[in-house]
């Protein structure tokens, strides 16, 4: 019993200090983005561009495919359910709201968590273990400025961009089903969707995606910097990073939705 | 022992340094100083705390007590901007090289220039290649660290440490794991660097041959305490039993109290 409480206490303590460390990295990352040029340690545009390609551009195909498929599924389920009430046409606003407010960002979040959450942790973890981070520090190069800031900015730009794409792809998928099942034209579907949506619907999704971007970055870099041990340590933190990223995204999404839909 | 140097000439000054990981104390109050242009070897058995000492000298760990001054400045009290400026005058070659694995050798060597100077690409390339010539790595520009041998990694790390023309160089285990010829080459290189450029060099090693060949002065570290600091001849002829045990590789003399030994073996955590 005592061992149990002590163990629990230790875990809570570790969790809190990890959270604190992640927040510190967040503010330091922002700090270098803003103050770097004045301290003669600017965050390199080339580094930011490289991260944006890594995180964003190469994720476009998979994001589009998954979002499209998700749109098709939601339309199918919606039409099937609403048919009983003879209200199939109501599937269109349903699709519009849930995709823009919710699923576009969520799909992107999960894809980016799987691709980049693990990759970030693995890359920084490997650098930590081979003393590359120490090498940066003794050269007078702040590791947060060099490694975290470009990632943070790249993520905060690319995840919302991907979310716009995912919204478009998912709505197209849903639209395709409506065209086939409800015997309407594609143009008419888009008119109907855009008639019910207001900018705030898109904005909700984009705000969420911005939060997801920060969460994925922080979970990845925190796990990377805390890496120790050999190859199995690296395996452990990459797995942990992906699981924590996805958990953080879903919990954040729930909290967000709770407050935004009141 | 012998104090070789004046205080105003000291490049490295350590006073009362206490280091610990968690509850485990590794260094129990270490004092020493290294004068400008000196080659100091820090020697000691495996696990005696050499790398730990080095990490504290580099400001990678915070000491529990005591001070570390480099070029007269307390590195653990310095504001971060000043510390980063100070670090540009210091080169470090880590035990495992710590080359950036995603960059080629040339990019690794150019990296400090790229980050700290506004030179154009061609100039940086020339400067990096000059340092690679110095360490006999000419022509290996495009290899990745994974494609290098152990000796080449050490030399590439040295080239990177030298590229900003540091006034102080730290070198962890230059010859560990290398064949005698390559390690002798590195020793020559260290001596040449001091003689031609006047760099102050602190080398951590447990290789005796190499230590006595390059050192002006030697600090002997043993279980987190300094046994002695002095010119290499004084260390070679010191009559301290543990120093002689270390020098003559006599393990039995290192074994201490039989009672304590028995207790260690039979302890139940
Ligand atoms: N990160 C760490 N956390 C906890 N203990 C550590 C850590 N690094 C080193 N130690 C401990 O500190 C002691 C001194 O280690 P250190 O690496 O300084 O020895 P060393 O003299 O460099 O040995 P070697 O010649 O084998 O490199 C060892 O007992 C080691 O277990
Ligand atoms: Mg060591």
């Amino acid at each position: 019993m005592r061992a149990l409480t002590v163990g629990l206490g230790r875990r809570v303590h570790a969790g809190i200090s990890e959270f604190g460390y992640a927040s510190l990295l967040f503010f330091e990352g922002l700090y270098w983005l803003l103050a770097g040029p004045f301290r003669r340690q600017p965050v390199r545009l080339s580094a930011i561009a490289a991260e944006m390609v890594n995180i964003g551009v190469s994720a476009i195909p998979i994001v589009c495919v998954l979002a499209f498929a998700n749109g098709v599924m939601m339309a199918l389920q919606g039409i099937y359910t609403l048919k009983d009430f003879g209200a199939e046409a109501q599937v269109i606003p349903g699709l519009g709201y849930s995709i823009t407010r919710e699923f576009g960002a969520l799909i992107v979040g999960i894809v980016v968590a799987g691709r980049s959450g693990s990759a970030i942790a693995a890359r920084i973890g490997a650098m930590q273990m081979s003393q590359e981070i120490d090498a940066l520090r003794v050269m007078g190069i702040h590791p947060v400025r060099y490694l975290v800031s470009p990632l943070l900015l790249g993520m905060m730009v690319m995840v919302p961009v991907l979310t716009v794409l995912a919204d478009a792809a998912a709505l197209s998928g849903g639209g395709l089903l409506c065209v086939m099942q409800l015997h309407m034209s594609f143009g008419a579907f888009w008119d109907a969707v855009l008639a019910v949506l207001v900018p705030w619907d898109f904005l909700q999704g984009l705000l969420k995606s911005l939060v997801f971007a920060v969460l994925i970055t922080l979970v990845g870099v925190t796990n990377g910097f805390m890496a120790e041990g050999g190859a199995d340590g690296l395996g452990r933190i990459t797995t942990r990073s992906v699981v924590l990223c996805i958990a953080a995204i879903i919990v954040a999404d729930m909290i967000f939705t709770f407050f935004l839909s009141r | 022992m012998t104090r070789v140097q004046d205080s105003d000439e000291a490049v490295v000054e350590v006073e009362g340094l206490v280091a610990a990981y968690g509850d485990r104390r590794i260094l129990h109050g270490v004092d020493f100083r290294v004068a400008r242009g000196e080659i100091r070897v820090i020697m000691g058995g495996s696990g005696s705390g050499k790398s730990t000492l080095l990490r504290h000298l580099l400001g990678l760990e915070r000491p529990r007590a005591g001070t570390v001054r480099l070029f007269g400045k307390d590195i653990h009290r310095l504001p971060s901007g000043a510390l980063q400026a100070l670090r540009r005058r210091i080169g470090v070659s880590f035990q495992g090289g710590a080359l950036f694995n995603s960059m080629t050798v040339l990019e690794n060597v150019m990296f400090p220039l790229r980050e700290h100077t506004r030179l154009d690409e061609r100039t940086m390339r020339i400067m990096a290649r000059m340092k690679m010539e110095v360490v006999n790595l000419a022509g290996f520009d495009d290899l990745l660290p994974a494609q290098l041998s152990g000796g080449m990694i050490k030399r590439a790390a040295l080239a990177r440490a030298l590229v900003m023309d540091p006034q102080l160089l730290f070198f962890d285990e230059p010859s560990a794991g290398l064949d005698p010829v390559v390690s002798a080459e590195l020793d020559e290189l260290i001596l040449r660097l001091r003689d031609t450029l006047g760099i102050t060099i602190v080398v951590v090693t447990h290789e005796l041959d190499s230590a006595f060949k390059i050192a002006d002065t030697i600090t002997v570290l043993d279980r987190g305490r300094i046994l002695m600091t002095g010119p290499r001849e004084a260390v070679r002829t010191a009559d301290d039993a543990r120093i002689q045990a270390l020098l003559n590789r006599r393990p039995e003399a290192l074994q201490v109290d039989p009672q304590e030994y028995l207790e260690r073996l039979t302890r139940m955590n």
Side-chain angles (χ1 to χ4, degrees):
Chain A
M1 190 60 214
R2 177 148 178 277
L4 203 71
T5 1
V6 169
L8 189 71
R10 206 168 277 149
R11 273 179 177 226
V12 169
H13 182 255
I16 291 172
S17 61
E18 192 176 337
F19 183 80
Y21 184 54
S23 326
L24 186 72
L25 285 178
F26 176 63
F27 289 111
E28 272 194 305
L30 283 186
Y31 170 80
W32 285 107
L33 280 173
L34 300 175
F38 305 105
R39 294 193 50 183
R40 297 191 46 207
Q41 289 215 29
V43 179
R44 309 272 160 184
L45 287 179
S46 58
I48 299 171
E51 300 296 356
M52 281 165 62
V53 171
N54 265 337
I55 299 157
V57 178
S58 38
I60 289 175
I62 181 80
V63 161
C64 287
V65 170
L66 289 186
F68 185 87
N70 205 56
V72 170
M73 280 186 304
M74 284 166 59
L76 265 176
Q77 296 281 8
I79 293 173
Y80 179 76
T81 319
L82 292 168
K83 205 176 240 159
D84 294 346
F85 307 100
E88 297 102 303
Q90 289 308 313
V91 77
I92 294 174
L95 278 177
Y97 290 136
S98 51
I99 286 171
T100 54
R101 290 179 184 175
E102 194 73 43
F103 287 103
L106 194 60
I107 289 168
V108 171
I110 288 175
V111 169
V112 174
R115 289 182 82 250
S116 305
S118 54
I120 293 169
R123 180 169 49 144
I124 293 184
M127 292 184 76
Q128 178 75 36
M129 287 172 193
S130 61
Q131 287 195 305
E132 287 172 51
I133 308 262
D134 290 338
L136 282 176
R137 287 172 65 195
V138 301
M139 281 177 202
I141 295 165
H142 205 296
V144 172
R145 191 270 293 178
Y146 186 72
L147 295 169
V148 179
S149 296
L151 257 177
L152 196 59
L153 187 59
M155 279 278 192
M156 288 170 70
V157 173
M158 286 321 278
V159 174
V161 168
L162 285 173
T163 302
V164 172
L165 286 177
D167 285 350
L171 286 174
S172 307
L176 189 72
L177 250 278
C178 292
V179 169
M180 286 172 8
Q181 304 265 316
L182 303 182
H183 311 293
M184 61 196 301
S185 76
F186 209 54
F189 168 79
W190 277 109
D191 287 342
V193 169
L194 294 179
V196 293
L197 292 181
V198 294
W200 175 233
D201 295 317
F202 287 100
L203 221 53
Q204 278 188 39
L206 292 184
L207 272 180
K208 279 182 187 172
S209 72
L210 204 60
V211 173
F212 296 167
V214 172
L215 287 175
I216 295 167
T217 313
L218 291 183
V219 171
V221 296
T222 304
N223 277 288
F225 280 124
M226 294 193 324
E228 53 193 6
D232 59 332
L234 206 55
R236 218 171 21 246
I237 58 152
T238 45
T239 313
R240 185 169 187 271
S241 179
V242 176
V243 173
L244 275 182
C245 277
I246 293 179
I249 285 172
I250 291 178
V251 171
D253 194 15
M254 182 192 75
I255 295 172
F256 234 95
T257 308
F258 180 76
F259 284 108
L260 287 180
S261 54
R262 270 157 37 122
Chain B
M1 281 282 138
T2 30
R3 275 286 161 97
V4 203
Q5 56 280 124
D6 305 331
S7 75
D8 57 337
E9 280 285 40
V11 176
V12 181
E13 271 181 291
V14 180
E15 273 169 24
L17 180 67
V18 175
Y21 294 112
D23 294 335
R24 245 179 88 212
R25 273 196 170 202
I26 309 295
L27 299 175
H28 313 267
V30 164
D31 302 275
F32 69 95
R33 49 212 288 151
V34 182
R36 187 176 306 279
E38 182 178 337
I39 299 182
R40 165 69 52 88
V41 169
I42 297 173
M43 217 170 74
S46 194
S48 55
K50 303 184 296 294
S51 296
T52 305
L53 174 59
L54 190 64
R55 292 183 66 78
H56 284 78
L57 295 185
L58 297 172
L60 291 173
E61 314 277 354
R62 277 206 158 268
R64 288 299 162 91
T67 56
V68 175
R69 273 196 285 279
L70 302 181
F71 301 107
K73 302 207 176 74
D74 184 341
I75 57 166
H76 298 285
R77 297 253 157 69
L78 226 48
S80 76
L83 179 60
Q84 308 219 330
L86 185 75
R87 279 174 160 164
R88 286 173 210 183
R89 300 161 67 190
I90 298 171
V92 183
S93 173
F94 282 93
Q95 190 159 355
L99 297 175
F100 301 113
N101 277 309
S102 57
M103 298 181 195
T104 65
V105 174
L106 183 66
E107 284 168 348
N108 261 291
V109 179
M110 278 167 70
F111 183 80
L113 295 173
R114 212 186 273 286
E115 289 296 321
H116 290 318
T117 70
R118 288 165 187 235
L119 301 169
D120 64 283
E121 187 74 18
R122 260 177 53 114
T123 316
M124 288 195 290
R125 201 170 279 263
I126 292 170
M127 289 177 71
R129 291 219 173 101
M130 277 165 57
K131 298 302 182 209
M132 288 173 66
E133 292 278 349
V134 171
V135 300
N136 281 327
L137 271 183
F140 293 104
D141 292 5
D142 296 324
L143 293 191
L144 288 169
Q147 299 167 313
L148 300 181
S149 72
M152 289 163 86
I153 288 176
K154 290 242 152 99
R155 283 181 282 153
L158 182 58
R160 187 178 67 181
L162 292 173
V163 79
M164 295 283 289
D165 293 320
Q167 293 152 291
L168 172 60
L169 176 69
F170 290 100
F171 206 154
D172 198 1
E173 301 284 1
S175 41
L178 302 183
D179 74 56
V181 178
V182 178
S183 101
E185 267 173 27
L186 271 175
D187 291 344
E188 293 293 340
L189 191 58
I190 290 169
L191 286 170
R192 211 161 62 231
L193 283 173
R194 195 272 309 269
D195 294 342
T196 56
L197 304 172
I199 306 178
T200 309
I201 304 178
V202 177
V203 176
V204 165
T205 187
H206 60 244
E207 303 271 321
L208 297 171
D209 294 344
S210 157
F212 281 108
K213 187 163 153 204
I214 59 179
D216 296 318
T217 51
I218 295 178
T219 291
V220 184
L221 197 63
D222 180 46
R223 292 178 298 181
R225 287 197 171 79
I226 288 187
L227 288 182
M228 168 176 193
T229 293
R232 63 181 165 189
E233 280 319 310
V235 170
R236 204 200 295 272
T237 55
D239 42 318
D240 183 292
R242 287 189 64 84
I243 294 180
Q244 283 310 316
L246 213 64
L247 296 188
N248 300 316
R249 310 192 157 119
R250 280 203 315 266
E252 72 274 23
L254 289 175
Q255 193 51 65
V256 264
D257 180 9
Q259 187 62 38
E260 190 196 56
Y261 176 64
L262 268 180
E263 260 171 34
R264 263 210 316 274
L265 291 182
T266 52
R267 194 179 46 188
M268 297 289 293
N269 262 333

